[in-house]
PDB file of all heavy atoms in Angstrom:
ATOM      1  N   VAL A 235      -7.268  17.721  10.622  1.00  0.00           N
ATOM      2  CA  VAL A 235      -7.795  19.169  10.495  1.00  0.00           C
ATOM      3  C   VAL A 235      -9.119  19.379  11.026  1.00  0.00           C
ATOM      4  O   VAL A 235      -9.460  20.210  11.767  1.00  0.00           O
ATOM      5  CB  VAL A 235      -7.669  19.526   9.001  1.00  0.00           C
ATOM      6  CG1 VAL A 235      -8.345  20.971   8.818  1.00  0.00           C
ATOM      7  CG2 VAL A 235      -6.198  19.561   8.473  1.00  0.00           C
ATOM      8  N   GLY A 236     -10.022  18.356  10.707  1.00  0.00           N
ATOM      9  CA  GLY A 236     -11.343  18.438  11.177  1.00  0.00           C
ATOM     10  C   GLY A 236     -11.810  17.412  12.167  1.00  0.00           C
ATOM     11  O   GLY A 236     -12.930  17.070  12.309  1.00  0.00           O
ATOM     12  N   GLY A 237     -10.824  16.774  12.810  1.00  0.00           N
ATOM     13  CA  GLY A 237     -10.919  15.632  13.583  1.00  0.00           C
ATOM     14  C   GLY A 237     -10.940  14.344  12.804  1.00  0.00           C
ATOM     15  O   GLY A 237     -11.395  14.282  11.667  1.00  0.00           O
ATOM     16  N   VAL A 238     -10.339  13.267  13.416  1.00  0.00           N
ATOM     17  CA  VAL A 238     -10.171  12.081  12.712  1.00  0.00           C
ATOM     18  C   VAL A 238     -11.454  11.173  12.797  1.00  0.00           C
ATOM     19  O   VAL A 238     -11.844  10.772  13.901  1.00  0.00           O
ATOM     20  CB  VAL A 238      -8.963  11.296  13.271  1.00  0.00           C
ATOM     21  CG1 VAL A 238      -8.687   9.936  12.642  1.00  0.00           C
ATOM     22  CG2 VAL A 238      -7.666  12.129  13.192  1.00  0.00           C
ATOM     23  N   THR A 239     -12.116  11.009  11.606  1.00  0.00           N
ATOM     24  CA  THR A 239     -13.376  10.136  11.605  1.00  0.00           C
ATOM     25  C   THR A 239     -12.845   8.717  11.600  1.00  0.00           C
ATOM     26  O   THR A 239     -11.679   8.343  11.528  1.00  0.00           O
ATOM     27  CB  THR A 239     -14.194  10.438  10.379  1.00  0.00           C
ATOM     28  OG1 THR A 239     -13.337  10.061   9.173  1.00  0.00           O
ATOM     29  CG2 THR A 239     -14.462  11.957  10.280  1.00  0.00           C
ATOM     30  N   ILE A 240     -13.932   7.781  11.583  1.00  0.00           N
ATOM     31  CA  ILE A 240     -13.607   6.337  11.573  1.00  0.00           C
ATOM     32  C   ILE A 240     -12.873   5.998  10.405  1.00  0.00           C
ATOM     33  O   ILE A 240     -11.891   5.178  10.423  1.00  0.00           O
ATOM     34  CB  ILE A 240     -14.965   5.572  11.699  1.00  0.00           C
ATOM     35  CG1 ILE A 240     -15.606   5.878  13.138  1.00  0.00           C
ATOM     36  CG2 ILE A 240     -14.689   4.100  11.534  1.00  0.00           C
ATOM     37  CD1 ILE A 240     -16.843   5.102  13.334  1.00  0.00           C
ATOM     38  N   ILE A 241     -13.395   6.441   9.242  1.00  0.00           N
ATOM     39  CA  ILE A 241     -12.737   6.110   7.950  1.00  0.00           C
ATOM     40  C   ILE A 241     -11.280   6.646   7.849  1.00  0.00           C
ATOM     41  O   ILE A 241     -10.412   5.922   7.512  1.00  0.00           O
ATOM     42  CB  ILE A 241     -13.487   6.638   6.841  1.00  0.00           C
ATOM     43  CG1 ILE A 241     -14.983   5.933   6.694  1.00  0.00           C
ATOM     44  CG2 ILE A 241     -12.813   6.397   5.504  1.00  0.00           C
ATOM     45  CD1 ILE A 241     -15.758   6.432   5.566  1.00  0.00           C
ATOM     46  N   GLU A 242     -11.104   7.815   8.428  1.00  0.00           N
ATOM     47  CA  GLU A 242      -9.759   8.458   8.468  1.00  0.00           C
ATOM     48  C   GLU A 242      -8.871   7.612   9.291  1.00  0.00           C
ATOM     49  O   GLU A 242      -7.630   7.484   9.114  1.00  0.00           O
ATOM     50  CB  GLU A 242      -9.849   9.953   8.898  1.00  0.00           C
ATOM     51  CG  GLU A 242     -10.452  10.751   7.754  1.00  0.00           C
ATOM     52  CD  GLU A 242     -10.635  12.219   8.285  1.00  0.00           C
ATOM     53  OE1 GLU A 242     -10.846  12.449   9.463  1.00  0.00           O
ATOM     54  OE2 GLU A 242     -10.663  13.183   7.275  1.00  0.00           O
ATOM     55  N   GLY A 243      -9.413   7.070  10.484  1.00  0.00           N
ATOM     56  CA  GLY A 243      -8.652   6.353  11.350  1.00  0.00           C
ATOM     57  C   GLY A 243      -8.166   5.038  10.673  1.00  0.00           C
ATOM     58  O   GLY A 243      -7.049   4.546  10.870  1.00  0.00           O
ATOM     59  N   ILE A 244      -9.102   4.495   9.810  1.00  0.00           N
ATOM     60  CA  ILE A 244      -8.747   3.248   9.053  1.00  0.00           C
ATOM     61  C   ILE A 244      -7.579   3.536   8.047  1.00  0.00           C
ATOM     62  O   ILE A 244      -6.580   2.874   7.948  1.00  0.00           O
ATOM     63  CB  ILE A 244      -9.936   2.675   8.434  1.00  0.00           C
ATOM     64  CG1 ILE A 244     -10.942   2.115   9.340  1.00  0.00           C
ATOM     65  CG2 ILE A 244      -9.563   1.595   7.366  1.00  0.00           C
ATOM     66  CD1 ILE A 244     -12.225   1.704   8.766  1.00  0.00           C
ATOM     67  N   VAL A 245      -7.734   4.729   7.447  1.00  0.00           N
ATOM     68  CA  VAL A 245      -6.730   5.232   6.461  1.00  0.00           C
ATOM     69  C   VAL A 245      -5.349   5.345   7.190  1.00  0.00           C
ATOM     70  O   VAL A 245      -4.261   4.923   6.746  1.00  0.00           O
ATOM     71  CB  VAL A 245      -7.083   6.489   5.747  1.00  0.00           C
ATOM     72  CG1 VAL A 245      -5.995   7.137   5.003  1.00  0.00           C
ATOM     73  CG2 VAL A 245      -8.218   6.117   4.730  1.00  0.00           C
ATOM     74  N   LEU A 246      -5.353   5.905   8.402  1.00  0.00           N
ATOM     75  CA  LEU A 246      -4.090   6.225   9.153  1.00  0.00           C
ATOM     76  C   LEU A 246      -3.508   4.877   9.528  1.00  0.00           C
ATOM     77  O   LEU A 246      -2.248   4.718   9.452  1.00  0.00           O
ATOM     78  CB  LEU A 246      -4.413   7.039  10.337  1.00  0.00           C
ATOM     79  CG  LEU A 246      -3.184   7.463  11.159  1.00  0.00           C
ATOM     80  CD1 LEU A 246      -2.284   8.374  10.301  1.00  0.00           C
ATOM     81  CD2 LEU A 246      -3.636   8.208  12.471  1.00  0.00           C
ATOM     82  N   ALA A 247      -4.274   3.878  10.021  1.00  0.00           N
ATOM     83  CA  ALA A 247      -3.794   2.644  10.318  1.00  0.00           C
ATOM     84  C   ALA A 247      -3.160   1.856   9.225  1.00  0.00           C
ATOM     85  O   ALA A 247      -2.033   1.280   9.330  1.00  0.00           O
ATOM     86  CB  ALA A 247      -4.757   1.772  11.057  1.00  0.00           C
ATOM     87  N   LEU A 248      -3.855   1.876   8.017  1.00  0.00           N
ATOM     88  CA  LEU A 248      -3.308   1.249   6.871  1.00  0.00           C
ATOM     89  C   LEU A 248      -2.001   1.940   6.382  1.00  0.00           C
ATOM     90  O   LEU A 248      -1.025   1.258   6.007  1.00  0.00           O
ATOM     91  CB  LEU A 248      -4.413   1.329   5.756  1.00  0.00           C
ATOM     92  CG  LEU A 248      -5.634   0.412   5.862  1.00  0.00           C
ATOM     93  CD1 LEU A 248      -6.638   0.693   4.783  1.00  0.00           C
ATOM     94  CD2 LEU A 248      -5.140  -1.079   5.866  1.00  0.00           C
ATOM     95  N   PHE A 249      -1.962   3.211   6.455  1.00  0.00           N
ATOM     96  CA  PHE A 249      -0.858   3.985   6.074  1.00  0.00           C
ATOM     97  C   PHE A 249       0.395   3.638   6.953  1.00  0.00           C
ATOM     98  O   PHE A 249       1.564   3.483   6.406  1.00  0.00           O
ATOM     99  CB  PHE A 249      -1.108   5.491   6.099  1.00  0.00           C
ATOM    100  CG  PHE A 249       0.077   6.306   5.666  1.00  0.00           C
ATOM    101  CD1 PHE A 249       0.375   6.553   4.364  1.00  0.00           C
ATOM    102  CD2 PHE A 249       0.898   6.823   6.640  1.00  0.00           C
ATOM    103  CE1 PHE A 249       1.455   7.337   3.923  1.00  0.00           C
ATOM    104  CE2 PHE A 249       1.943   7.638   6.286  1.00  0.00           C
ATOM    105  CZ  PHE A 249       2.254   7.868   4.891  1.00  0.00           C
ATOM    106  N   ALA A 250       0.204   3.517   8.110  1.00  0.00           N
ATOM    107  CA  ALA A 250       1.293   3.171   9.122  1.00  0.00           C
ATOM    108  C   ALA A 250       1.913   1.869   8.802  1.00  0.00           C
ATOM    109  O   ALA A 250       3.177   1.737   8.721  1.00  0.00           O
ATOM    110  CB  ALA A 250       0.696   3.186  10.527  1.00  0.00           C
ATOM    111  N   VAL A 251       1.063   0.825   8.470  1.00  0.00           N
ATOM    112  CA  VAL A 251       1.635  -0.417   8.177  1.00  0.00           C
ATOM    113  C   VAL A 251       2.404  -0.453   6.878  1.00  0.00           C
ATOM    114  O   VAL A 251       3.492  -0.866   6.669  1.00  0.00           O
ATOM    115  CB  VAL A 251       0.573  -1.539   8.100  1.00  0.00           C
ATOM    116  CG1 VAL A 251       1.166  -2.874   7.689  1.00  0.00           C
ATOM    117  CG2 VAL A 251      -0.018  -1.690   9.548  1.00  0.00           C
ATOM    118  N   LEU A 252       1.658   0.304   5.786  1.00  0.00           N
ATOM    119  CA  LEU A 252       2.361   0.236   4.451  1.00  0.00           C
ATOM    120  C   LEU A 252       3.582   1.097   4.474  1.00  0.00           C
ATOM    121  O   LEU A 252       4.594   0.734   3.792  1.00  0.00           O
ATOM    122  CB  LEU A 252       1.246   0.827   3.475  1.00  0.00           C
ATOM    123  CG  LEU A 252       0.061  -0.133   3.357  1.00  0.00           C
ATOM    124  CD1 LEU A 252      -1.004   0.619   2.508  1.00  0.00           C
ATOM    125  CD2 LEU A 252       0.467  -1.386   2.595  1.00  0.00           C
ATOM    126  N   PHE A 253       3.467   2.195   5.150  1.00  0.00           N
ATOM    127  CA  PHE A 253       4.692   3.092   5.164  1.00  0.00           C
ATOM    128  C   PHE A 253       5.902   2.449   5.819  1.00  0.00           C
ATOM    129  O   PHE A 253       7.014   2.603   5.382  1.00  0.00           O
ATOM    130  CB  PHE A 253       4.369   4.408   5.815  1.00  0.00           C
ATOM    131  CG  PHE A 253       5.438   5.519   5.510  1.00  0.00           C
ATOM    132  CD1 PHE A 253       5.276   6.346   4.387  1.00  0.00           C
ATOM    133  CD2 PHE A 253       6.491   5.805   6.445  1.00  0.00           C
ATOM    134  CE1 PHE A 253       6.242   7.379   4.189  1.00  0.00           C
ATOM    135  CE2 PHE A 253       7.422   6.736   6.190  1.00  0.00           C
ATOM    136  CZ  PHE A 253       7.282   7.507   5.055  1.00  0.00           C
ATOM    137  N   ALA A 254       5.623   1.699   6.963  1.00  0.00           N
ATOM    138  CA  ALA A 254       6.721   0.949   7.590  1.00  0.00           C
ATOM    139  C   ALA A 254       7.296  -0.148   6.656  1.00  0.00           C
ATOM    140  O   ALA A 254       8.469  -0.350   6.594  1.00  0.00           O
ATOM    141  CB  ALA A 254       6.142   0.227   8.878  1.00  0.00           C
ATOM    142  N   TRP A 255       6.421  -0.699   5.842  1.00  0.00           N
ATOM    143  CA  TRP A 255       6.869  -1.714   4.870  1.00  0.00           C
ATOM    144  C   TRP A 255       7.872  -1.001   3.868  1.00  0.00           C
ATOM    145  O   TRP A 255       8.935  -1.581   3.565  1.00  0.00           O
ATOM    146  CB  TRP A 255       5.707  -2.329   4.116  1.00  0.00           C
ATOM    147  CG  TRP A 255       5.992  -3.259   3.089  1.00  0.00           C
ATOM    148  CD1 TRP A 255       6.060  -3.076   1.785  1.00  0.00           C
ATOM    149  CD2 TRP A 255       6.214  -4.736   3.291  1.00  0.00           C
ATOM    150  NE1 TRP A 255       6.361  -4.314   1.105  1.00  0.00           N
ATOM    151  CE2 TRP A 255       6.456  -5.232   2.024  1.00  0.00           C
ATOM    152  CE3 TRP A 255       6.261  -5.479   4.308  1.00  0.00           C
ATOM    153  CZ2 TRP A 255       6.761  -6.620   1.765  1.00  0.00           C
ATOM    154  CZ3 TRP A 255       6.471  -6.862   4.197  1.00  0.00           C
ATOM    155  CH2 TRP A 255       6.787  -7.379   2.899  1.00  0.00           C
ATOM    156  N   VAL A 256       7.481   0.090   3.355  1.00  0.00           N
ATOM    157  CA  VAL A 256       8.296   0.775   2.408  1.00  0.00           C
ATOM    158  C   VAL A 256       9.496   1.350   3.043  1.00  0.00           C
ATOM    159  O   VAL A 256      10.614   1.215   2.400  1.00  0.00           O
ATOM    160  CB  VAL A 256       7.501   1.963   1.726  1.00  0.00           C
ATOM    161  CG1 VAL A 256       8.323   2.857   0.865  1.00  0.00           C
ATOM    162  CG2 VAL A 256       6.317   1.504   0.959  1.00  0.00           C
ATOM    163  N   ALA A 257       9.502   1.807   4.298  1.00  0.00           N
ATOM    164  CA  ALA A 257      10.567   2.377   5.036  1.00  0.00           C
ATOM    165  C   ALA A 257      11.667   1.322   5.124  1.00  0.00           C
ATOM    166  O   ALA A 257      12.855   1.545   5.063  1.00  0.00           O
ATOM    167  CB  ALA A 257      10.128   2.977   6.233  1.00  0.00           C
ATOM    168  N   LEU A 258      11.257   0.068   5.596  1.00  0.00           N
ATOM    169  CA  LEU A 258      12.261  -0.975   5.863  1.00  0.00           C
ATOM    170  C   LEU A 258      12.967  -1.313   4.528  1.00  0.00           C
ATOM    171  O   LEU A 258      14.143  -1.550   4.622  1.00  0.00           O
ATOM    172  CB  LEU A 258      11.471  -2.268   6.382  1.00  0.00           C
ATOM    173  CG  LEU A 258      12.334  -3.568   6.534  1.00  0.00           C
ATOM    174  CD1 LEU A 258      13.475  -3.155   7.554  1.00  0.00           C
ATOM    175  CD2 LEU A 258      11.490  -4.655   7.071  1.00  0.00           C
ATOM    176  N   SER A 259      12.226  -1.396   3.415  1.00  0.00           N
ATOM    177  CA  SER A 259      12.923  -1.676   2.111  1.00  0.00           C
ATOM    178  C   SER A 259      13.877  -0.584   1.790  1.00  0.00           C
ATOM    179  O   SER A 259      14.956  -0.822   1.328  1.00  0.00           O
ATOM    180  CB  SER A 259      11.779  -1.788   1.029  1.00  0.00           C
ATOM    181  OG  SER A 259      12.406  -2.013  -0.185  1.00  0.00           O
ATOM    182  N   PHE A 260      13.440   0.668   2.054  1.00  0.00           N
ATOM    183  CA  PHE A 260      14.398   1.753   1.744  1.00  0.00           C
ATOM    184  C   PHE A 260      15.688   1.726   2.513  1.00  0.00           C
ATOM    185  O   PHE A 260      16.699   1.968   2.082  1.00  0.00           O
ATOM    186  CB  PHE A 260      13.560   3.023   2.031  1.00  0.00           C
ATOM    187  CG  PHE A 260      14.354   4.428   1.903  1.00  0.00           C
ATOM    188  CD1 PHE A 260      14.717   4.935   0.702  1.00  0.00           C
ATOM    189  CD2 PHE A 260      14.833   4.984   3.083  1.00  0.00           C
ATOM    190  CE1 PHE A 260      15.463   6.083   0.619  1.00  0.00           C
ATOM    191  CE2 PHE A 260      15.638   6.133   2.981  1.00  0.00           C
ATOM    192  CZ  PHE A 260      15.984   6.658   1.754  1.00  0.00           C
ATOM    193  N   VAL A 261      15.485   1.548   3.854  1.00  0.00           N
ATOM    194  CA  VAL A 261      16.649   1.494   4.764  1.00  0.00           C
ATOM    195  C   VAL A 261      17.612   0.323   4.342  1.00  0.00           C
ATOM    196  O   VAL A 261      18.845   0.448   4.389  1.00  0.00           O
ATOM    197  CB  VAL A 261      16.234   1.379   6.280  1.00  0.00           C
ATOM    198  CG1 VAL A 261      17.384   1.160   7.170  1.00  0.00           C
ATOM    199  CG2 VAL A 261      15.449   2.615   6.638  1.00  0.00           C
ATOM    200  N   SER A 262      17.020  -0.844   3.980  1.00  0.00           N
ATOM    201  CA  SER A 262      17.768  -2.002   3.553  1.00  0.00           C
ATOM    202  C   SER A 262      18.561  -1.559   2.307  1.00  0.00           C
ATOM    203  O   SER A 262      19.780  -1.972   2.101  1.00  0.00           O
ATOM    204  CB  SER A 262      16.928  -3.149   3.295  1.00  0.00           C
ATOM    205  OG  SER A 262      16.447  -3.659   4.529  1.00  0.00           O
ATOM    206  N   GLY A 263      17.894  -0.854   1.374  1.00  0.00           N
ATOM    207  CA  GLY A 263      18.556  -0.431   0.192  1.00  0.00           C
ATOM    208  C   GLY A 263      19.743   0.558   0.465  1.00  0.00           C
ATOM    209  O   GLY A 263      20.838   0.508  -0.154  1.00  0.00           O
ATOM    210  N   LEU A 264      19.491   1.411   1.408  1.00  0.00           N
ATOM    211  CA  LEU A 264      20.653   2.347   1.781  1.00  0.00           C
ATOM    212  C   LEU A 264      21.793   1.522   2.410  1.00  0.00           C
ATOM    213  O   LEU A 264      22.956   1.900   2.025  1.00  0.00           O
ATOM    214  CB  LEU A 264      20.148   3.295   2.873  1.00  0.00           C
ATOM    215  CG  LEU A 264      19.230   4.524   2.435  1.00  0.00           C
ATOM    216  CD1 LEU A 264      18.901   5.407   3.585  1.00  0.00           C
ATOM    217  CD2 LEU A 264      19.979   5.408   1.361  1.00  0.00           C
ATOM    218  N   ALA A 265      21.467   0.512   3.124  1.00  0.00           N
ATOM    219  CA  ALA A 265      22.589  -0.279   3.755  1.00  0.00           C
ATOM    220  C   ALA A 265      23.332  -0.933   2.648  1.00  0.00           C
ATOM    221  O   ALA A 265      24.602  -1.091   2.652  1.00  0.00           O
ATOM    222  CB  ALA A 265      21.993  -1.220   4.679  1.00  0.00           C
ATOM    223  N   GLY A 266      22.622  -1.532   1.652  1.00  0.00           N
ATOM    224  CA  GLY A 266      23.263  -2.163   0.568  1.00  0.00           C
ATOM    225  C   GLY A 266      24.129  -1.149  -0.294  1.00  0.00           C
ATOM    226  O   GLY A 266      25.193  -1.570  -0.701  1.00  0.00           O
TER     227      GLY A 266
END
């Protein structure tokens, strides 16, 4: 909204990895 600051960039990078981790577990659960 106001431009991505350095700290916000760190948050976005962390979120990407963590969300991918949760998403893989979710998809595996759906497959099961």
